[in-house]
Amino acid sequence: MANVEQMIKYKFKNPQLLKSALTHSSVSSNVAKNYERLEFLGDRMLGVSVASMLYEMFPNEPEGNLSQRFTALVCKETVADVAKNIGLDKAMFVADDEIRQNENVLCDVCEAVIGAIYVDSGMDEAFAFVKDYWQDLVGKHIAPPKDAKTTLQEVAHVKGYLPPIYKVVDRSGLEHEPIFTVEVSLGKDLKALGKGHNKKLAEFAAASKILEQINND
C-alpha cells in the first residue's frame, strides 16, 4: 500500500481503508472489504468539495453556470480520467484485468479513495485531495463547458430543425464493457450515428457528428 499512498499523496492511519477502497466486488462481496460503501461516501465528498471550489473561484457567476461546470467536473468520464491519471487502474484489486478499463469502476474507485480519506482523517484531508487533482480542471475553461447535446438543441432551435431525437440502435461488446450505438435525427433527412461505452457518451458522439454535418452544409 505504500506505493499507492505515494501515488495519491496521502498516508493512511488505517491502511485497511485504502485496501477496501481499491477492492472490486469481484474479489470480495463483503461490503466491509470492497469499495462500495466508501464510494457512496466519497461521491458526496467529491460533490461538496467541487461545489465549494467553484463557489470560491467564480464569485460572479450565476447558479446556472456553476451547475454546468459542476456537472462536467463530477461526471463519470472526468472522475475516471482522474483515476487513470493517478494510476488507480493499476492499483485496484480485481478478479479480471479487463475490469481495470471499465469507466464505471474507475469512477467508483476514485470516489471510494476520497471516502476512505474522509473516514481516515476528515473533511479537510478529503478536500485537499480533491483540490489537488481537480483544481487544474476547474480552471481549464474560461467559459462554462457546454456539451454537444446542449449545443445541438440550441442549434436545432435557431436553424428551425425539429428537436433532436436519440435512439439506441445497437449494443455490442462484453457485458462489463458494452459499446452502444445511438442514432440522432433532426427530421427524416438529417441523421448521424455515435458510439460510446454508455448511452450518454454515445449520444454525445452522435450529437457531435450531426453538428459537424450542419457546420459543413
Side-chain angles (χ1 to χ4, degrees):
M1 292 288 99
N3 61 327
V4 182
E5 289 177 331
Q6 287 182 340
M7 286 160 48
I8 65 175
K9 304 173 188 176
Y10 176 80
K11 183 170 180 60
F12 277 83
K13 304 182 192 75
N14 178 4
Q16 181 58 45
L17 285 168
L18 177 58
K19 185 174 182 180
S20 296
L22 296 172
T23 300
H24 187 255
S25 57
S26 62
V27 172
S28 176
S29 59
N30 185 337
V31 295
K33 294 184 178 180
N34 66 34
Y35 66 64
E36 292 174 3
R37 282 171 53 83
L38 289 170
E39 178 270 326
F40 168 81
L41 182 60
D43 176 51
R44 276 71 185 171
M45 292 299 103
L46 175 62
V48 170
S49 299
V50 169
S52 177
M53 290 170 66
L54 291 171
Y55 183 81
E56 294 295 331
M57 292 179 71
F58 301 98
N60 298 316
E61 280 199 353
E63 182 272 340
N65 285 4
L66 294 176
S67 292
Q68 284 182 311
R69 293 183 187 276
F70 179 84
T71 299
L73 289 163
V74 301
C75 73
K76 174 177 59 183
E77 297 78 21
T78 298
V79 183
D81 281 344
V82 171
K84 284 188 281 189
N85 289 339
I86 295 172
L88 296 181
D89 53 332
K90 300 178 181 64
M92 296 186 317
F93 299 102
V94 295
D96 183 343
D97 274 344
E98 289 188 0
I99 296 173
R100 298 182 191 280
Q101 304 307 315
N102 187 301
E103 209 166 47
N104 290 314
V105 174
L106 286 168
C107 174
D108 289 349
V109 166
C110 191
E111 290 174 342
V113 168
I114 296 169
I117 293 172
Y118 173 78
V119 174
D120 197 58
S121 287
M123 185 64 195
D124 287 346
E125 289 292 346
F127 178 78
F129 175 89
V130 174
K131 186 175 182 181
D132 197 23
Y133 290 103
W134 265 264
Q135 187 157 24
D136 287 346
L137 297 175
V138 171
K140 191 173 181 181
H141 302 285
I142 296 174
K146 232 181 230 185
D147 64 65
K149 287 182 67 177
T150 300
T151 302
L152 180 59
Q153 186 81 25
E154 294 172 354
V155 169
H157 177 73
V158 170
K159 291 185 174 286
Y161 293 113
L162 292 173
I165 296 175
Y166 297 87
K167 179 173 67 173
V168 177
V169 296
D170 188 44
R171 186 182 188 277
S172 59
L174 301 173
E175 183 62 31
H176 65 274
E177 191 75 6
I179 298 174
F180 290 87
T181 302
V182 166
E183 178 187 82
V184 60
S185 60
L186 300 176
K188 63 180 181 179
D189 296 325
L190 190 54
K191 299 179 180 181
L193 295 175
K195 296 189 177 192
H197 287 300
N198 58 53
K199 183 180 174 184
K200 181 180 176 183
L201 286 177
E203 289 176 345
F204 286 161
S208 295
K209 287 188 177 179
I210 207 167
L211 283 167
E212 289 176 11
Q213 291 183 32
I214 293 170
N215 291 333
N216 291 333
D217 286 345

